[in-house]
Amino acid sequence: MQQQTIQAQVNKRLLSKADRLFTGTLEGRIIEILQNARRAGATEVTITQKDGLVTIQDNGSGIQDFQTLLDLGGSGWTDKTERSEDPAGVGIFSLAPRDVTIESGHTKLVVTQSIWTGQPAQLFELPEVVQGTRLQFQDQPWEMNTIEKYAVFTGLDVTVNGKSCAQKRFCSRQSTSYPHLGCRIEVRRRDHLSAWHKAFQTNYYHHDVLVNFYGQVVPFDDEPISGEHLVFLVDLTGETTALRLMLPARTRMVENEAFRQLKEMLEKEAYRFIHK
């Protein structure tokens, strides 16, 4: 009997349900939009909201191929970005099922519910060039305090209705570089954390480790030395890394070999900190 082979594939039925698959949280939408702007080389993101209409403008490289926006699971990012960030390929689908207007260069696309689920979309030519990318859609309030929490560690200059969000370094210059993991690690006493770091700790006695994935901070628990009340700050550097986030929510780390090595380095840094 001839040996048969089968392989995994994405069924079209999944795309037909896209307007229901990505009805996530406001925080998730904010994170995804800021991450996309940064990956496109943006340094500035301007967010305004009036009468429920959210407008987001960045100064990135813009959209070269609008088809990539509707490629669920694809990303169109460079190999370097794939190796250092492992983008999920959700992108603009995080805004489904909302009607979204997207403008970049001379091109405009309006994504409606039928387009989210696989119907053809028409591209329109704009009379004037839009630098970077502009998004518009109806949503619940994008409030300053929520946006600022997820903007502060991105390295982006983000303004909300004319007011600038804070920009902070996640780790200080005292941190130690670990190129093989693509990150830097800093140890601090719990009472030496900034308010921005504490915003990602939901319980005083937990979340000993905070990992900054370019503005998206993911906590987990690890206590190499008990009773010392230490917190470990891990900041990804943009180098190739095997540290990964669980999909699709990206709120937990994958416990792979790189994660095991990271925990070993945390223990090393803990003893070094105590020794000092």
Side-chain angles (χ1 to χ4, degrees):
M1 178 179 178
Q2 186 176 4
Q3 187 176 19
Q4 293 182 314
T5 62
I6 60 174
Q7 67 185 73
Q9 64 182 11
V10 178
N11 194 284
K12 289 183 178 180
R13 290 180 64 251
L14 180 65
L15 182 60
S16 71
K17 300 174 183 179
D19 60 332
R20 289 178 284 150
L21 289 174
F22 300 101
T23 53
T25 64
L26 171 63
E27 290 80 3
R29 294 193 289 278
I30 292 171
I31 290 169
E32 191 67 33
I33 296 303
L34 293 179
Q35 296 279 16
N36 284 345
R38 183 188 50 75
R39 289 172 184 150
T43 57
E44 300 176 1
V45 177
T46 302
I47 301 173
T48 58
Q49 184 169 20
K50 184 177 181 180
D51 299 328
L53 181 66
V54 179
T55 302
I56 304 169
Q57 172 81 56
D58 69 48
N59 67 342
S61 59
I63 302 169
Q64 310 306 315
D65 182 3
F66 272 69
Q67 176 59 54
T68 61
L69 297 176
L70 300 178
D71 183 6
L72 179 57
S75 69
W77 301 116
T78 64
D79 290 342
K80 181 179 184 298
T81 300
E82 290 285 348
R83 292 192 301 270
S84 62
E85 301 190 32
D86 187 36
V90 173
I92 205 70
F93 278 88
S94 64
L95 298 177
R98 296 160 188 80
D99 291 355
V100 182
T101 299
I102 309 166
E103 298 173 327
S104 183
H106 277 294
T107 306
K108 173 181 176 179
L109 168 67
V110 180
V111 186
T112 60
Q113 184 170 359
S114 62
I115 293 172
W116 288 125
T117 54
Q119 294 300 310
Q122 183 176 357
L123 298 176
F124 300 91
E125 184 174 354
L126 295 170
E128 297 182 1
V129 174
V130 173
Q131 301 295 337
T133 301
R134 181 188 299 146
L135 305 174
Q136 284 191 320
F137 51 92
Q138 293 283 337
D139 204 353
Q140 67 190 91
W142 282 45
E143 296 178 346
M144 176 68 176
N145 59 343
T146 304
I147 298 171
E148 192 170 35
K149 175 180 178 179
Y150 297 102
V152 64
F153 295 125
T154 61
L156 294 169
D157 180 6
V158 180
T159 60
V160 182
N161 290 328
K163 184 178 179 181
S164 295
C165 292
Q167 295 184 65
K168 301 293 181 182
R169 293 173 61 95
F170 190 75
C171 289
S172 74
R173 291 181 174 83
Q174 304 301 316
S175 57
T176 303
S177 178
Y178 287 92
H180 71 289
L181 289 175
C183 68
R184 303 183 65 85
I185 300 175
E186 181 179 0
V187 185
R188 294 187 189 179
R189 297 284 184 189
R190 190 179 297 276
D191 56 2
H192 288 177
L193 284 181
S194 74
W196 298 110
H197 292 96
K198 290 178 181 178
F200 293 96
Q201 291 190 307
T202 57
N203 188 306
Y204 182 84
Y205 296 102
H206 295 283
H207 299 333
D208 309 287
V209 187
L210 299 175
V211 187
N212 179 34
F213 282 82
Y214 314 98
Q216 182 174 5
V217 179
V218 178
F220 69 89
D221 301 333
D222 189 53
E223 192 178 18
I225 303 178
S226 62
E228 292 293 338
H229 304 295
L230 301 180
V231 176
F232 303 85
L233 305 180
V234 182
D235 195 15
L236 269 66
T237 59
E239 299 166 287
T240 298
T241 182
L243 295 173
R244 295 288 184 258
L245 296 179
M246 294 284 288
L247 302 177
R250 296 172 65 88
T251 56
R252 292 180 56 193
M253 294 192 66
V254 175
E255 297 186 16
N256 57 9
E257 174 60 21
F259 182 76
R260 185 192 65 79
Q261 292 180 25
L262 174 62
K263 296 181 75 171
E264 288 184 355
M265 296 306 101
L266 296 179
E267 182 175 13
K268 176 181 177 181
E269 288 299 316
Y271 281 105
R272 179 181 294 176
F273 182 84
I274 296 300
H275 179 71
K276 288 181 181 179

